[in-house]
Each structure stands twice: as C-alpha cells, then as structure tokens.
Amino acid sequence: MNQMEKESKLWGEIKEDLRRQGNVGEYGFESYISQLKLKSDTGTKLVLEYPVDMFIDWVETYYSNDIRMSAARVLDAARELEYVPACADCPEQAYNDDEQEPSLFTPALSASCNIPANTTTDRKRKTNRRRHNNINSGLNSDYTFDSFVVGSNSEFAVAAAKAVVNAPSSMYNPLFIHGASGLGKTHLLQAIGNAIREKDDSVQVLYVTSEDFTNTYIDAISRQGDSLSNFRRKYRKADVLLIDDVQFLSQKGKTQEEFFHTFNALFASGKQIVLSADCPASEITRLDDRLTSRFEQGLTVALNVPDLETRIAILRKKRRLWKSTLISDEVLEYLAKNITRSVRRLEGALVRLATFASFSQKSPTVQDARVQLNDLLKEEKNTTDVTVADIQRRVAEEFNIRVADINGRRRTANIAHPRQVAMFLARRHTQNSLQDIGAAFGGRDHGTVIHATKTIEEKMETDPTLRDLVDRLASSLA
C-alpha cells in the first residue's frame, strides 16, 4: 500500500468514526466533511485539503473539534489540524477589495489559479501572519467582539470579557463563562484572545479545548523522553490561557491533577485564565473539589438564550457579513422565531438557506425555509415543547405514582427516586433555570436539583437498567 492509499484509508476511518459519533449531521457531512481529503499525516498534524470554493472558515469553526476527536480515537494519539486549498498555488481566499471581507460564497478560482490583479502583497503578508498566529495560539481571527452580537442575554458576560482584555489578570482571574451549547462561549473566549493579541502581539495567548488538553496530555505521558516536560512548558509559558468546555475534565482524574498544577503555576505567575463550560463549576459532575474552588474564586458569568430581537440582530449581522443578499427580512424573522435555543443552529440554518439561494439564484420564501430546514425545525420543536409538567406526568405514569407525590414532601424511596429522575430529565431536557425547576417540584431549592442530577448521573454509570429507563423516558418525551 503506497502513501496515498494509506492516507485515503486513514481518512476513511476518521470519517467513519465521525458518522458513528453522530455529532455531524448528514447535511454537514455531505456538504463539507466528504469534500475534504487527507493530504498528509506528519505525526503531530493532519493536513486536510479542501476545494478552493469551499467556505473553509465554517469547517474550522464548527467541525474541527469533532475531526480532532475522531482522529485521536482512530490514531490513539492527538493531532493538530491544518487546512490547505486543493491547489497549492492558490490563496486561501480571493479578495476583490482590500477593505472588504470575503463573501460566504466566494466563486471558485479559474483553472489557471491566477491571483486577481488587485490582490496585494500586503494582503497576502497579513493573511500569512494571521495564519502563523492562529497556528501558535489556537485562535480564529474571525471571532472578535465586533462580530459578537450583544443582547440582554450576554451583556454582562461581554462586559466582563472586555474588562479582562483591558487589564489581564488584575480583576477577574479566572473568568468562568458558562452557558448551554451554541450560545457563543467559544466566540467570546476567542474574542478575548484576539483582542489581547491586537493590543500587544508579543503576549503569549493559547486557546485550547479541554478535550485537546486531555488528548495531548495522554499522548505526552505515553511517549518517552521530554514529551511531558514539553507539554508542561507549552501550557505554562502562556500569558493568557483560554480553556473551552472544561466540563469534559469530569472523571479524568490524572488530567484533572495535571490541570490543577497548570492552573496554580499560571495563577501564581500572574497569568490570566479564562474558562468556559456548559454549566456552573459546582454542577460539573465528578470535578475535583480543588478545581471547583479554583474555578469559582474569580468571576462567574452566564450566557443565556438570546431573546427574539437579539436573534434577529444576529441573523442580520451574519447576512451582512456573508453578503447573503437574497435572504429577506421576513425569512430571517421566521428563523429567529422558530430556532430559539442555539445561536450555532441559527447560523447553521442561515448557511443552509444561503446555499440554497446561491444554487437556485432566487430569494427563498418562508415556505422554502420550511422545506429546506424541515429536520432542524422538527428537532427544535421536540426540544422546545417539553415542559417540566410533561416530565412530571410521564415519570409519574412510569413509576405508577401521582404527580402530587413527586411535588410533595414525602421522602420515602418509592417517591424520592422518581422525583430525582424527573429532576434529572428536567435539567437535561428543558431550558428552565435550577431555581425554576426546584420551584416546580414543590418549592425546593436549586441545591436539591443539583444533588438529584448528580445522584442519577452516578447511578446511571453502574446501573444499565436505570440508564435504559432514563433513555426510554427521554425518547418518549421527544
């Protein structure tokens, strides 16, 4: 088997793992993942080749982490990613105006791959310098405060993030940002890093997900020589460390121990640390108490679900940025009203409609949006229609008790266990706050809800019967 065949086989295995994990939808897989090719595996980095007319920023933003995780599983070792255009002599994007951003749908370059005459050397140097910084820091230069739409759901978090930029490590250290998936945590972390680098490009900024931290650590301890020392040096020389999705450190004992020492070393040196998670630190299951206390010693801020006006503003800004002029305000308002839980899903819906508009060369109607986004809208309906009352009724039926028992004060085992299951499902399948969930269960406090959730999570790990029961209940609610 020659080298090209080996790379093709490896990429096939990675794609198969991506399909098994189910994190990339069929549309994303066919439109983006299937168009990529593995050019080389250097041992530390996978070089992926993409068609020159592909919107590669979308792939980097929304699929890179899943690709890295699948690669780590297939190769049993962590890999960084680098994306290169299919034609090695082509620029990553062709700009017609030095002051303009690229359109979402940049036309493919001609077969001769000539760079447009008005693409300047300065632009190329700027792009090359940006790529160099991104490779070293893990930052994506598209994530800035200017491109983040601020609403009532995020104004406090954005203000705190900008305060960190203005005075790193002097006010809020660490800054802990939490919120549900797809609300902009990664964007805000990266915006902090980019803004700090903009002020002083000598500052060592490092952005990494906790999954990447874990994989790199496992790789380091499995190798001989100076691998572990090099790993520690990489993270501890950072002036600003941005760690995304720290909830994935849950249950990883040795990795938590290593991160604890990394955190202490940076904090003691006066370095800024910014963390994100999908829940407050106190709610992360099986997180070392020492880390929980470290995470809570600075400032904790929340990113909440944006209201309708903010969702419309986000879509309008993206339409302007991507130059998707065929998408009407009426369609944007339809999207904003029907996709409510995740900014990422909202942007994904806009990309799909913009692609449809580009291919059909017509402005999509609301009916077109219903047809093109049928799967997304169904999933959204399943998510948004479930209420705490629905969950209480379904759990009461399953355990042959009354809803009044679940909401009452009795603590006997035949009541307490179903109540905990119902609280767990309410926490996982509704957007209600801890306080609201507790209130719906007879006026209990948020600490009771946290305890119930953790209790069921721990029991599910060792009790397959309970795990199957919870999965069945969740499916019946959907």
Side-chain angles (χ1 to χ4, degrees):
M1 184 183 297
N2 60 35
Q3 190 63 32
M4 186 178 297
E5 290 172 334
K6 287 181 181 178
E7 286 156 356
S8 178
K9 181 175 181 294
L10 172 58
W11 181 234
E13 292 173 357
I14 293 172
K15 287 193 292 184
E16 184 59 33
D17 185 83
L18 275 168
R19 281 194 184 279
R20 280 198 302 271
Q21 297 305 313
N23 294 328
V24 179
E26 192 62 30
Y27 173 83
F29 203 95
E30 294 302 322
S31 300
Y32 296 102
I33 303 299
S34 65
Q35 305 299 315
L36 300 174
K37 293 181 180 179
L38 179 59
K39 186 175 183 180
S40 65
D41 174 13
T42 69
T44 59
K45 177 172 64 179
L46 298 180
V47 180
L48 295 172
E49 199 172 66
Y50 64 90
V52 292
D53 58 346
M54 178 183 282
F55 184 43
I56 193 62
D57 284 356
W58 183 262
V59 177
E60 291 182 291
T61 301
Y62 293 107
Y63 300 127
S64 285
N65 193 46
D66 290 311
I67 295 172
R68 278 194 294 266
M69 291 167 64
S70 287
R73 281 188 288 268
V74 171
L75 293 163
D76 205 24
R79 292 288 193 276
E80 294 298 320
L81 299 180
E82 180 181 352
Y83 298 94
V84 298
C87 172
D89 297 324
C90 296
E92 184 176 13
Q93 291 282 0
Y95 295 88
N96 294 323
D97 185 336
D98 263 3
E99 300 305 318
Q100 291 183 347
E101 292 296 323
S103 165
L104 174 61
F105 302 104
T106 303
L109 299 176
S110 65
S112 61
C113 298
N114 291 326
I115 299 173
N118 55 355
T119 301
T120 66
T121 302
D122 286 344
R123 167 68 75 175
K124 290 189 288 183
R125 286 174 179 166
K126 180 179 179 182
T127 301
N128 289 336
R129 184 166 62 249
R130 182 182 70 180
R131 286 183 190 167
H132 177 72
N133 287 342
N134 286 352
I135 291 170
N136 289 338
S137 65
L139 295 175
N140 181 332
S141 60
D142 291 333
Y143 285 142
T144 65
F145 287 113
D146 286 341
S147 61
F148 190 97
V149 177
V150 183
S152 58
N153 65 304
S154 60
E155 56 188 355
F156 181 41
V158 172
K162 288 183 176 179
V164 165
V165 172
N166 292 331
S169 75
S170 64
M171 291 185 66
Y172 309 129
N173 200 19
L175 175 63
F176 189 99
I177 303 170
H178 69 87
S181 177
L183 295 183
K185 300 186 298 295
T186 297
H187 190 144
L188 211 48
L189 256 68
Q190 295 250 354
I192 291 171
N194 281 316
I196 289 174
R197 288 294 297 267
E198 185 70 23
K199 289 179 65 177
D200 183 356
D201 62 8
S202 67
V203 176
Q204 293 292 313
V205 178
L206 179 60
Y207 165 87
V208 67
T209 67
S210 66
E211 192 75 17
D212 285 341
F213 182 91
T214 301
N215 289 335
T216 310
Y217 174 63
I218 292 170
D219 187 47
I221 60 178
S222 66
R223 296 172 180 268
Q224 296 180 348
D226 298 328
S227 296
L228 190 56
S229 297
N230 291 336
F231 168 85
R232 288 171 176 161
R233 192 177 303 114
K234 171 185 175 181
Y235 287 96
R236 298 181 191 187
K237 74 177 182 181
D239 298 310
V240 179
L241 181 62
L242 311 166
I243 298 283
D244 212 352
D245 290 325
V246 293
Q247 73 272 7
F248 288 115
L249 293 175
S250 171
Q251 303 183 51
K252 299 179 176 69
K254 289 185 177 179
T255 305
Q256 288 190 36
E257 179 76 20
E258 183 64 33
F259 186 70
F260 174 76
H261 294 303
T262 298
F263 184 105
N264 284 346
L266 291 172
F267 188 84
S269 302
K271 307 298 179 64
Q272 177 69 51
I273 303 164
V274 185
L275 311 155
S276 86
D278 62 4
C279 61
S282 60
E283 295 180 34
I284 300 176
T285 307
R286 296 194 178 181
L287 183 67
D288 191 307
D289 289 341
R290 297 178 302 171
L291 280 178
T292 301
S293 65
R294 294 297 191 281
F295 293 173
E296 293 180 330
Q297 73 187 35
L299 176 67
T300 296
V301 294
L303 280 174
N304 299 311
V305 176
D307 58 22
L308 175 62
E309 291 76 12
T310 303
R311 295 196 298 274
I312 292 174
I314 289 169
L315 289 171
R316 286 178 176 172
K317 187 157 192 170
K318 291 298 180 183
R319 179 180 62 182
R320 186 168 61 252
L321 177 65
W322 295 340
K323 299 180 175 62
S324 307
T325 55
L326 291 173
I327 310 297
S328 68
D329 285 342
E330 182 186 14
V331 169
L332 293 188
E333 186 172 340
Y334 174 78
L335 296 182
K337 286 180 176 178
N338 289 278
I339 300 177
T340 62
R341 300 300 183 185
S342 166
V343 175
R344 184 176 298 135
R345 289 170 68 84
L346 199 60
E347 292 177 353
L350 180 59
V351 165
R352 191 181 299 189
L353 282 185
T355 305
F356 169 80
S358 176
F359 289 160
S360 64
Q361 288 300 302
K362 74 169 188 175
S363 182
T365 64
V366 169
Q367 180 57 33
D368 289 328
R370 289 193 188 102
V371 173
Q372 297 299 321
L373 304 174
N374 182 52
D375 56 333
L376 280 178
L377 296 173
K378 278 185 178 178
E379 291 175 13
E380 190 75 15
K381 187 175 186 298
N382 288 339
T383 302
T384 58
D385 280 358
V386 177
T387 66
V388 175
D390 293 332
I391 291 170
Q392 290 173 336
R393 283 193 295 270
R394 182 68 190 87
V395 171
E397 290 170 2
E398 181 68 31
F399 286 93
N400 196 27
I401 59 177
R402 301 174 303 159
V403 171
D405 293 327
I406 291 179
N407 294 335
R409 309 310 300 178
R410 293 172 60 194
R411 298 183 180 179
T412 55
N414 67 314
I415 301 297
H417 178 62
R419 183 184 295 137
Q420 288 180 332
V421 170
M423 287 184 177
F424 171 85
L425 290 168
R427 186 77 179 106
R428 287 292 178 267
H429 296 282
T430 75
Q431 293 295 318
N432 295 67
S433 67
L434 290 168
Q435 289 77 9
D436 289 342
I437 293 172
F441 283 84
R444 290 173 167 81
D445 62 27
H446 73 282
T448 303
V449 181
I450 293 173
H451 173 72
T453 302
K454 289 186 175 181
T455 298
I456 297 302
E457 284 177 342
E458 290 173 1
K459 287 182 177 179
M460 285 170 63
E461 290 176 9
T462 57
D463 186 347
T465 302
L466 175 61
R467 187 164 58 247
D468 291 343
L469 169 66
V470 171
D471 288 343
R472 180 159 48 81
L473 286 169
S475 297
S476 67
L477 289 165

